[in-house]
Amino acid sequence: MTEIPSIDACAVRMVNPDRVGAVRAELPPDADIAELAGTFELLADIGRLRLLAALRSGETCVCDLAAACGQAESAVSHALRLLRTARVVRVRRAGRMAYYQLADDHVRVLLDLALTHQAHTTPAAGRPVAAG
């Protein structure tokens, strides 16, 4: 029986050494890649993503976020503390109240692009998947 090669497998180790060199030169430093992986790992949580989606509408206090997202205030506070440490959200204190917002426009763009990508690639009832 003849084995069929995988479509993802290359027949040679390196087709274009110049291209490989150019790609390697453009790769971010390993420390930056590791930190970004940690951020994406942090974002890979339904509860934390729900909080970030809620913060797209603007600065919100912890208790209102908890109510809007259907989570306990203690869970929301813990999640926001993690997100703040990763510089994804920022906090403003007014007395005993803590108001959170997305850290900056980069976070908003990342979240907006991810949500747009999701909407364009996930079939919903009666909605075709966008091509290409």
Side-chain angles (χ1 to χ4, degrees):
M1 177 179 236
T2 304
E3 188 173 323
I4 300 172
S6 168
I7 194 167
D8 294 326
C10 291
V12 295
R13 297 289 294 162
M14 190 182 315
V15 173
N16 187 337
D18 292 336
R19 178 70 183 134
V20 170
V23 169
R24 285 184 177 162
E26 294 296 321
L27 285 174
D30 288 346
D32 291 351
I33 292 289
E35 186 173 344
L36 185 58
T39 299
F40 278 121
E41 184 177 314
L42 182 68
L43 298 178
D45 176 85
I46 292 170
R48 290 189 288 263
L49 278 176
R50 186 172 284 119
L51 291 170
L52 293 177
L55 287 171
R56 290 170 66 214
S57 63
E59 183 182 75
T60 309
C61 72
V62 173
C63 54
D64 287 349
L65 280 170
C69 295
Q71 299 178 34
E73 284 185 38
S74 60
V76 169
S77 290
H78 177 71
L80 291 169
R81 189 169 31 260
L82 295 173
L83 292 166
R84 188 180 71 235
T85 299
R87 300 179 318 272
V88 176
V89 300
R90 64 180 179 211
V91 64
R92 178 181 64 84
R93 299 201 186 276
R96 294 184 53 132
M97 299 294 292
Y99 295 89
Y100 283 85
Q101 61 184 319
L102 298 177
D104 56 35
D105 286 337
H106 299 113
V107 174
R108 181 178 307 283
V109 167
L110 178 65
L111 187 58
D112 288 346
L113 285 174
L115 289 167
T116 300
H117 174 74
Q118 183 69 23
H120 288 168
T121 59
T122 303
R127 188 178 73 211
V129 175

